[in-house]
Amino acid sequence: MGNETIMISVPLESFVAGVEALARIEIMKRNVQESKYGPSKKEIAAILGFELCTKGTEEA
């Protein structure tokens, strides 16, 4: 396929979600590279934009 350029239409909401996801991935990458130890679950959740469930309140 090479270096072809293909123009497509994408809903703005989907494009924005993709850009936000890429930004979060880049933040995670930087965090992992700079850290002596791996990030905690809490740090990962914060970077990815969600909160961890506390024990006893987990959904099935």
Side-chain angles (χ1 to χ4, degrees), residues 2 5 7 10 14-15 17-18 27 42 47 51-53 57-58:
T5 300
M7 301 295 288
V10 177
S14 296
F15 177 77
I27 291 168
K42 187 175 181 178
I47 291 169
E51 293 183 23
L52 292 174
C53 295
T57 61
E58 293 182 24

Side-chain angles (χ1 to χ4, degrees), residues 4-46:
E4 292 183 34
T5 300
I6 300 171
M7 301 295 288
I8 60 170
S9 295
V10 177
L12 183 58
E13 187 175 302
S14 296
F15 177 77
V16 170
V19 170
E20 288 175 353
L22 182 59
R24 290 176 188 275
I25 290 168
E26 289 298 323
I27 291 168
M28 177 70 76
K29 178 181 170 184
R30 194 173 332 127
N31 183 285
V32 169
Q33 289 175 333
E34 294 174 356
S35 179
K36 184 175 180 180
Y37 303 102
S40 69
K41 288 181 181 181
K42 187 175 181 178
E43 290 172 319
I44 293 170

